Amino acid sequence: MKTKYSIALFALASWLLMATGCDMNERAFDRLDAGVYYQNEAAVKGAVAAVYGNAAMSYLEYFWYLNEFSADQITWRVWNGGLWGYDEGEKTVISTHTWTPEAKIIRQTWETAWSTIGLCNTLIGDLEKIAPAQIGITDEKIKAYISEVRTLRAWAYYNCFELWGGAIPLYTASGEGTIPPSADEDFNVGCRKVFDFICTELDESYPYLPREDGSNATRNRMNQAVNRMIKMRMLLNAEVFTGTPRFTECATLANELLKGTYGTYSLAADYRDIYHVTNNTCPEVVMAFAMENGQLNAGWMRDMPFLAYTYADYFDFSSTQSAWNCVCLVPSFDNSGTVNATYGYSENPVCFLDPPYNDRLGAIYERFHDKDIRKGNYKWENGNYSGIFLRGLQKAKWGTGEVLKADADRDGMDLYYTDQVGQFEGATTIGRALEPVMSPRWGQTNSGVRLVRYPIYPESEGKDFQDIDDVEFRWAEVYYTLAECKLRAGDAAGAENLVLQVRERYFANPADAKKYGRFTSVDLAWMLDQWGQEFLCEGRRRRTDLRRFDKFTQGQWWFFGRATDDGFSYPAKRDRKYEWFPLPAAALSVNPGLKQNPNY
């Protein structure tokens, strides 16, 4: 069971959530009198838990889509140009950088984001009116709860800020009133206003928050370290947000964190502890959203999108969750060479990291060193798992049983995952023959390496992967942040030392941690690669990495500059307008005060 704070009160929290909603399209809030609820501290805890539950369900899915599918490591793959798995193109437009203000995923992300911010506003307004003594708590406790919700709201605003920049509104009031406009009519001025607002919220809140002392009491809550890490992210990306770099300030804050000023944390010696069902006791986990199947469950998002419908046979585990079979890693190899008719892949292909491509983005599986213990296929042995990928011929019970069969366009054939994306049956496929480079619209069922980010336990273990807490902040991020700041300041040796302190745990021989594949220099390209490997599929590739290194629209990977669809050529470099997402057309239609992002 998870902490009582996050889970045991969820029934009350769910009821409160239904009673205190936010609808930015019509009126700000529609809610009952708060005096009905706040009779004691348990009711306050329940209300706070409601906001966490809403945040987990809102941000862990839709924000993941926009930050991962749009980047260079993960893609939404469909069959035969969209005859299967196209999903009305709503996710394909994200992977191909062809979205518009009418994009459904962008609208859904916007709507879920503001529900969380609205709940925070309501709760903060309620708590500020409470006389602490009347419900049996101290002034210090009520300040701590208010600061916790303000920090959660700042986190929510930060996530929105990364997507929509200065076009978002700033709204902190509770109750009915005027629908707020964009932060400023001038997008760049709006960016500075939002940046200052979030930083002020964080700075005013952190002194009242709990500090993790190693007892694991705060790992499912906004605590001092979480607050400071959000501020650290703000400073690290300040140049993207405001045009002014603040790497020196960022390094100072990262150093304070590592010294234990804001809580007691350490790197996990075994990386698997970070994602284990007991990760709420892992010293590297700074904050994770508490999950428990049947009460609050969004953890399936990290595995189910990648897996085939036969995943229960592979993992020897049955679940109520269905696999999607539509997501894979961006391929490391093109489709040149002879097609293997049995398993449906091309032999002797060319890696996108090699000539004539010479990419420095994408090809994530091939970037992992062969001696990296994460690179193997997922297996269960000796009471624990090893490997986080699925590649090659797939057999039941972690590769030890019968060969599994594919479905869809390879229905009944042996299931073989290849590190390529294409129509490997050639001219016999529907719509298009195999080409050396094809877009994610043409990935057959066997296309793409699959990822198992969070472990799926065999039935015999009696553990449900849906009970694993979803990690949002972990200590390794502080190491990598300080490393990048040092590198930008000219201290390559210091940067490498920090990265190696994290990276060594992935190698049986720690000396192998210095083998960086095709990266021979400790430079910014190397740093971007290290961010990508360490935080693969953790929902931050676009937001934390590519934008800051100016590679999101200006970098080339996989099909960009090489593939066409319906007469459209995907450019090697995209229009810079795609560096920010547009405000949804639906939001603009109901709120005349919103100002669309530039160039949309």
Side-chain angles (χ1 to χ4, degrees):
M1 291 291 292
K2 308 300 180 189
T3 60
K4 292 182 180 179
Y5 180 85
S6 299
I7 295 296
L9 292 168
F10 191 68
L12 171 62
S14 299
W15 180 67
L16 286 169
L17 183 58
M18 290 186 288
T20 58
C22 172
D23 184 353
M24 296 277 295
N25 290 334
E26 298 178 0
R27 54 183 178 178
F29 297 97
D30 182 11
R31 54 186 299 274
L32 303 178
D33 188 347
V36 174
Y37 310 123
Y38 304 112
Q39 301 295 316
N40 49 45
E41 187 176 4
V44 174
K45 287 183 177 180
V48 175
V51 185
Y52 277 104
N54 179 271
M57 297 305 293
S58 299
Y59 286 81
L60 297 185
E61 180 176 359
Y62 291 104
F63 280 78
W64 183 81
Y65 294 150
L66 295 187
N67 282 307
E68 293 291 0
F69 290 162
S70 65
D72 67 321
Q73 297 186 332
I74 294 169
T75 189
W76 180 268
R77 171 199 63 85
V78 302
W79 299 259
N80 291 323
L83 291 181
W84 288 280
Y86 193 53
D87 209 6
E88 297 180 342
E90 61 188 66
K91 300 181 181 71
T92 301
V93 298
I94 306 302
S95 285
T96 57
H97 289 199
T98 55
W99 58 78
T100 69
E102 286 74 30
K104 182 178 178 181
I105 291 294
I106 295 174
R107 176 180 59 79
Q108 291 173 318
T109 307
W110 174 270
E111 291 171 352
T112 57
W114 289 105
S115 68
T116 297
I117 291 173
L119 285 171
C120 288
N121 290 341
T122 299
L123 184 51
I124 291 168
D126 289 345
L127 296 180
E128 288 175 340
K129 298 172 185 175
I130 289 176
Q134 292 182 358
I135 61 172
I137 63 175
T138 64
D139 290 343
E140 289 72 20
K141 272 198 171 183
I142 206 71
K143 287 180 181 178
Y145 283 123
I146 292 172
S147 295
E148 182 173 2
V149 181
R150 286 181 72 184
T151 299
L152 184 58
R153 182 177 65 185
W155 169 83
Y157 260 111
Y158 172 75
N159 283 292
C160 293
F161 188 32
E162 286 183 319
L163 298 183
W164 294 293
I168 65 173
L170 290 175
Y171 194 56
T172 60
S174 61
E176 297 183 17
T178 303
I179 301 175
S182 294
D184 196 276
E185 288 196 2
D186 184 291
F187 181 82
N188 293 326
V189 174
C191 282
R192 291 191 290 272
K193 287 183 178 180
V194 176
F195 186 94
D196 291 342
F197 165 76
I198 296 173
C199 289
T200 298
E201 286 287 292
L202 294 169
D203 289 342
E204 291 179 355
S205 299
Y206 87 84
Y208 303 101
L209 294 173
R211 180 182 179 277
E212 177 59 47
D213 59 6
S215 66
N216 308 316
T218 72
R219 298 196 196 279
N220 294 128
R221 301 176 61 180
M222 294 286 154
N223 52 49
Q224 283 195 11
V226 171
N227 181 294
R228 296 294 81 188
M229 286 181 71
I230 301 172
K231 178 69 177 292
M232 181 183 74
R233 289 180 181 179
M234 293 290 292
L235 295 172
L236 184 65
N237 294 286
E239 189 169 14
V240 171
F241 294 144
T242 68
T244 302
R246 298 177 68 172
F247 295 111
T248 301
E249 294 173 71
C250 183
T252 298
L253 183 51
N255 268 313
E256 290 176 358
L257 281 157
L258 289 180
K259 289 176 181 177
T261 304
Y262 306 107
T264 302
Y265 305 93
S266 61
L267 296 172
D270 188 334
Y271 78 93
R272 296 173 296 186
D273 293 345
I274 302 167
Y275 311 101
H276 194 272
V277 74
T278 58
N279 62 359
N280 60 336
T281 65
C282 176
E284 184 165 334
V285 174
V286 181
M287 188 270 169
F289 285 99
M291 299 290 159
E292 189 162 330
N293 190 26
Q295 296 191 51
L296 178 60
N297 176 20
W300 49 268
M301 270 300 302
R302 296 303 183 259
D303 288 333
M304 291 298 105
F306 291 91
L307 301 180
Y309 306 124
T310 53
Y311 81 93
D313 295 321
Y314 185 89
F315 294 99
D316 196 24
F317 175 80
S318 59
S319 170
T320 56
Q321 295 294 344
S322 298
W324 299 10
N325 198 23
C326 284
V327 178
C328 66
L329 298 186
V330 165
S332 301
F333 297 89
D334 72 4
N335 305 324
S336 60
T338 303
V339 173
N340 182 302
T342 301
Y343 297 128
Y345 65 92
S346 60
E347 300 172 340
N348 301 314
V350 178
C351 181
F352 287 113
L353 302 178
D354 294 332
Y357 303 111
N358 296 313
D359 289 354
R360 285 298 173 263
L361 298 171
I364 181 60
Y365 183 83
E366 194 64 15
R367 291 178 185 277
F368 281 81
H369 195 278
D370 288 344
K371 291 186 178 180
D372 190 320
I373 60 176
R374 296 170 293 179
K375 196 174 183 179
N377 273 7
Y378 184 97
K379 293 182 179 179
W380 185 267
E381 52 192 358
N382 301 320
N384 209 338
Y385 73 97
S386 62
I388 63 173
F389 299 104
L390 295 177
R391 186 187 186 194
L393 189 62
Q394 301 298 293
K395 300 180 180 180
K397 291 190 176 180
W398 325 289
T400 65
E402 296 181 355
V403 174
L404 299 177
K405 301 298 181 180
D407 63 342
D409 51 7
R410 293 184 62 81
D411 190 27
M413 301 180 183
D414 291 348
L415 181 59
Y416 186 102
Y417 290 135
T418 180
D419 197 3
Q420 302 164 287
V421 170
Q423 292 271 79
F424 296 106
E425 287 301 290
T428 63
T429 55
I430 301 173
R432 197 162 179 172
L434 182 67
E435 298 171 15
V437 181
M438 305 186 82
S439 81
R441 282 183 60 183
W442 303 95
Q444 286 186 301
T445 303
N446 58 327
S447 288
V449 173
R450 309 307 168 92
L451 181 67
V452 188
R453 178 76 277 184
Y454 284 66
I456 298 178
Y457 302 97
E459 204 81 42
S460 59
E461 287 292 306
K463 300 171 184 174
D464 193 331
F465 73 96
Q466 298 172 93
D467 292 337
I468 304 173
D469 290 356
D470 201 291
V471 179
E472 173 62 19
F473 293 88
R474 60 185 178 92
W475 205 231
E477 183 179 342
V478 184
Y479 279 76
Y480 275 53
T481 298
L482 183 56
E484 184 178 328
C485 291
K486 284 181 176 290
L487 185 60
R488 290 181 183 273
D491 183 5
E496 183 179 33
N497 177 60
L498 285 162
V499 169
L500 287 174
Q501 289 183 56
V502 179
R503 186 173 166 85
E504 286 176 353
R505 63 186 173 189
Y506 303 122
F507 296 86
N509 178 7
D512 290 333
K514 294 192 70 169
K515 297 177 179 178
Y516 305 123
R518 291 167 173 81
F519 292 88
T520 57
S521 300
V522 177
D523 55 16
L524 289 178
W526 167 86
M527 190 72 238
L528 179 56
D529 176 61
Q530 295 307 307
W531 277 109
Q533 289 187 44
E534 179 62 28
F535 294 97
L536 175 61
C537 194
E538 294 192 23
R540 53 174 58 90
R541 181 59 173 172
R542 170 196 172 273
R543 74 185 195 201
T544 304
D545 302 343
L546 295 180
R547 288 293 317 282
R548 192 171 64 257
F549 288 84
D550 196 26
K551 298 298 183 184
F552 184 65
T553 63
Q554 303 306 294
Q556 185 174 21
W557 64 87
W558 182 20
F559 65 92
F560 285 117
R562 298 160 185 151
T564 62
D565 275 326
D566 301 326
F568 173 78
S569 297
Y570 297 105
K573 292 184 178 181
R574 278 72 66 206
D575 192 315
R576 283 193 179 274
K577 75 176 185 180
Y578 292 110
E579 292 177 4
W580 299 102
F581 285 98
L583 298 185
L588 293 169
S589 69
V590 298
N591 184 353
L594 292 178
K595 180 74 172 178
Q596 182 59 282
N597 277 337
N599 302 315
Y600 280 102

